[in-house]
Amino acid sequence: MDCGKVGGVIRALRKEKGMTQKALADAVNISDRTVSKWERGLGCPDVSLLAPLSDALNVNIEKILSGDIKPEQAKGGNMKNIKFYCCPVCGNVLAAAAEVQACCCGRKCAPLKAAAADKDHAAEIEEIEDDFYITVRHPMEKTHYLTFAAYVSWDSVLLIKLYPEQQAEVRFPKMRGGDLYLCCSEHGLMKYGRLKTR
């Protein structure tokens, strides 16, 4: 760990939040002299202070320790670049317009890789009024079920969380040029491609 880099990150984040050294010290329950020492690269925070420091500066502990808070290159936020994340512990589903560092239940979540849908996960799509009604002949048991369905267009995403023992069906309002995604608890994320409107 490079104390100079860590101190530079602490200083940059403190200033970004408009905090004085004293305000940061009070938030972490230490002296402002300690904050000054860190920022000059003359020492690094003790492990016991990393969590409160992370909370006070609103940044991941990993970023503090790496000494790097450079922003990611702007990706435009186009929903066609969407990444889905699913927590392996609680099943929480996260979606982002580009790849991010996602964590849930104390674990890092990798972006799900979408494969083409196979015949075992074929979807039947009907148009009902101004909606797509989508059904899949798929088990909905505790160990094998569809975890979520998403309908993604260039500027929006509609996501429906699914649970075991309910029907493998969803209804989405029609969007121009949207792609359908379904995620199976055993086989992962599948992309069905564009849903056509009449």
Side-chain angles (χ1 to χ4, degrees), residues 62-105:
E62 195 174 285
K63 288 293 186 181
I64 294 171
L65 294 176
S66 72
D68 179 22
I69 54 166
K70 292 179 195 141
E72 299 289 330
Q73 184 176 1
K75 296 178 175 83
N78 184 332
M79 291 313 237
K80 289 296 186 171
N81 298 324
I82 195 157
K83 302 290 180 199
F84 293 101
Y85 302 81
C86 189
C87 177
V89 176
C90 71
N92 187 20
V93 178
L94 308 165
E99 194 166 329
V100 297
Q101 288 185 358
C103 295
C104 189
C105 295

Side-chain angles (χ1 to χ4, degrees), residues 67-186:
D68 179 22
I69 54 166
K70 292 179 195 141
E72 299 289 330
Q73 184 176 1
K75 296 178 175 83
N78 184 332
M79 291 313 237
K80 289 296 186 171
N81 298 324
I82 195 157
K83 302 290 180 199
F84 293 101
Y85 302 81
C86 189
C87 177
V89 176
C90 71
N92 187 20
V93 178
L94 308 165
E99 194 166 329
V100 297
Q101 288 185 358
C103 295
C104 189
C105 295
R107 290 157 180 87
K108 286 185 180 180
C109 301
L112 301 174
K113 298 203 184 316
D118 58 28
K119 62 180 169 85
D120 292 334
H121 295 88
E124 294 177 20
I125 301 163
E126 295 177 60
E127 292 185 40
I128 299 175
E129 298 166 354
D130 289 331
D131 294 344
F132 285 121
Y133 178 65
I134 301 155
T135 56
V136 183
R137 287 193 183 105
H138 192 281
M140 292 297 282
E141 301 158 355
K142 289 194 183 215
T143 57
H144 187 202
Y145 64 101
L146 295 177
T147 59
F148 71 87
Y151 184 30
V152 181
S153 73
W154 68 274
D155 66 346
S156 57
V157 59
L158 302 173
L159 191 137
I160 297 175
K161 182 79 173 98
L162 299 169
Y163 298 93
E165 300 173 7
Q166 76 178 89
Q167 297 297 316
E169 60 188 25
V170 291
R171 191 167 173 162
F172 289 114
K174 291 178 187 173
M175 294 189 295
R176 193 171 190 179
D179 292 324
L180 174 67
Y181 292 84
L182 291 173
C183 187
C184 171
S185 62
E186 284 190 11

Side-chain angles (χ1 to χ4, degrees), residues 24 28 44 58 91 102 121 126 181 189:
L24 179 58
V28 183
C44 286
N58 199 26
H121 295 88
E126 295 177 60
Y181 292 84
L189 184 66

